[in-house]
Amino acid sequence: MKPITKETYLDWYEQMQFWRKFEDKLAALYIQQKVRGFLHLYNGQEAVLAGALHVMNLGGKDKMITAYRNHVQPIGMGVDPRKVMAELLGKVTGTSKGMGGSMHIFSKEHGFYGGHGIVGAQIPVGAGMAFADKYFETGGVTLTYFGDGAARQGSLHEAFNMAMLWKLPVVFICENNGYAMGTSVERTANHTDIWKLGLGYEMPCGPVDGMNPVKVAEAMHEAMERARRGDGPTFLEMKTYRYRGHSMSDAQLYRTKDEVEEYKKIDPITQVLDVIKEKKYATDEEIEAIDERVKDLVEECATFAEESPFPEAQQLYDVVYEQENYPFIPHRL
């Protein structure tokens, strides 16, 4: 695996801090009714993404697909964060010209394939993307993320079965943040170790500390190397936690504030910062400078999004289809 160095920790801290503050800004804009519809935030789960990005072939062969908690993943993969925020505000400068919104961020250019609003829908799609990689011999691996609630979908079993049968280059990752929409794992199944679902298909599987980017990187590296060798899929259960509700409309009546505070004691950003300070990778002044850069970039994203225009009505027709023998709807895209 690529070494985890001083630069890795500093990059992790800046990236995860930016993702956290980016989401906090979106929460504020949602309260101002500038972000409409649903808004699902990633606060607390940043290590799952940071660790994966460390071992991915970014800008090349590897791809990622996930559910609707999907704002920071494309940013980590190289998408302009200003465009992501603009998309959430429904602006024409967004990643999908303002028509995808919070739950459907997408960038084929950067290998990020959504953002899927139907629970569990991305699981078989991710397997299909991996099938294409095997068929065309690209050498790529698809990371397919889903939540603990989606682990109850029947499509998971269909995808697991075919992935093992065809030895597809895919890593299935369950981000188990404990509550699905608002119901704990204990109340939805007679088992709490979701990773054991892989055993029924003789798929390599296991739990991972999803609050520690080092543990995530190590597990992901092993799984991705297995896939690249042609040995098939792996199923990892990232045990993580979200500090905010399922969405911004979630009153969180199913858990106590004390529980949330307990998990904040193992916050992934704090864990990384503790290593930076312990190993003297950066001075207090340098850390403050990182925090200031993060703050400035978040504000730049917000300004860009708010000052961008909404799409014109014509755009509704531009993105449907164009038919040569039906010239009555003009297209401009």
Side-chain angles (χ1 to χ4, degrees):
M1 188 178 76
K2 185 170 61 176
I4 297 175
T5 63
K6 166 186 172 180
E7 287 69 28
T8 305
Y9 272 99
L10 292 174
D11 183 62
W12 274 346
Y13 176 72
E14 185 161 353
Q15 290 298 315
M16 290 197 292
Q17 186 78 317
F18 175 69
W19 301 336
R20 178 75 58 85
K21 299 302 180 183
F22 186 91
E23 297 282 65
D24 287 345
K25 185 64 177 181
L26 288 175
L29 292 170
Y30 182 90
I31 292 170
Q32 298 172 41
Q33 297 187 353
K34 293 178 179 178
V35 176
R36 302 298 183 92
F38 291 101
L39 182 66
H40 307 84
L41 303 177
Y42 205 65
N43 300 43
Q45 301 180 213
E46 293 89 354
V48 177
L49 176 60
L53 292 176
H54 181 71
V55 296
M56 288 183 72
N57 182 350
L58 292 175
K61 302 173 182 177
D62 297 336
K63 306 177 188 68
M64 184 183 294
I65 186 169
T66 187
Y68 39 76
R69 202 177 302 278
N70 71 135
H71 314 140
V72 299
Q73 291 91 336
I75 294 172
M77 294 183 73
V79 177
D80 186 339
R82 298 177 304 168
K83 291 184 177 181
V84 174
M85 189 165 284
E87 184 62 36
L88 279 136
L89 268 66
K91 300 301 183 72
V92 73
T93 53
T95 51
S96 296
K97 297 185 179 294
M99 294 179 293
S102 169
M103 297 198 288
H104 302 285
I105 310 297
F106 193 97
S107 177
K108 183 178 179 181
E109 176 188 357
H110 294 90
F112 185 73
Y113 287 76
H116 292 260
I118 299 174
V119 176
Q122 73 277 16
I123 302 173
V125 176
M129 290 162 57
F131 178 83
D133 281 327
K134 180 169 185 176
Y135 186 85
F136 291 110
E137 299 180 347
T138 68
V141 178
T142 298
L143 306 187
T144 301
Y145 288 85
F146 52 93
D148 43 298
R152 313 304 172 204
Q153 291 286 345
S155 59
L156 174 142
H157 297 277
E158 296 169 345
F160 276 20
N161 183 59
M162 287 190 286
M164 282 298 293
L165 181 65
W166 295 332
K167 287 185 166 44
L168 301 183
V170 57
V171 183
F172 296 105
I173 305 111
C174 175
E175 292 185 271
N176 183 0
N177 59 29
Y179 288 103
M181 286 185 67
T183 305
S184 66
V185 173
E186 289 84 353
R187 295 181 62 195
T188 61
N190 68 338
H191 59 89
T192 56
D193 292 321
I194 295 175
W195 62 269
K196 291 182 178 178
L197 291 174
L199 297 174
Y201 301 92
E202 299 184 359
M203 184 185 298
C205 53
V208 181
D209 179 1
M211 302 298 274
N212 186 326
V214 176
K215 298 296 184 184
V216 173
E218 291 171 347
M220 291 295 295
H221 173 73
E222 182 179 349
M224 295 184 77
E225 287 303 299
R226 168 182 161 78
R228 291 192 207 284
R229 290 194 304 268
D231 293 338
T234 301
F235 176 37
L236 301 174
E237 179 189 354
M238 301 286 175
K239 294 182 179 290
T240 182
Y241 196 82
R242 55 170 167 78
Y243 300 145
R244 293 183 178 270
H246 172 71
S247 72
M248 283 293 291
S249 58
D250 180 3
Q252 305 183 60
L253 301 176
Y254 46 84
R255 63 181 180 181
T256 65
K257 291 182 180 179
D258 289 341
E259 178 183 301
V260 178
E261 291 305 314
E262 277 299 307
Y263 274 94
K264 286 184 177 180
K265 292 178 181 178
I266 55 170
D267 187 291
I269 299 176
T270 303
Q271 289 194 52
V272 168
L273 183 57
D274 286 344
V275 173
I276 291 172
K277 290 182 176 180
E278 179 186 334
K279 297 195 174 183
K280 295 182 171 56
Y281 285 160
T283 63
D284 290 342
E285 290 75 19
E286 289 169 331
I287 293 169
E288 288 176 11
I290 292 174
D291 292 340
E292 198 62 32
R293 284 202 301 272
V294 165
K295 179 182 176 182
D296 290 344
L297 182 54
V298 170
E299 287 306 314
E300 181 183 338
C301 292
T303 299
F304 175 82
E306 293 200 59
E307 292 181 353
S308 294
F310 287 104
E312 296 179 11
Q314 170 68 35
Q315 188 172 291
L316 290 171
Y317 304 105
D318 292 339
V319 296
V320 184
Y321 64 89
E322 188 166 9
Q323 186 174 328
E324 291 184 6
N325 62 355
Y326 192 84
F328 307 105
I329 299 179
H331 285 254
R332 297 182 299 189
L333 292 184

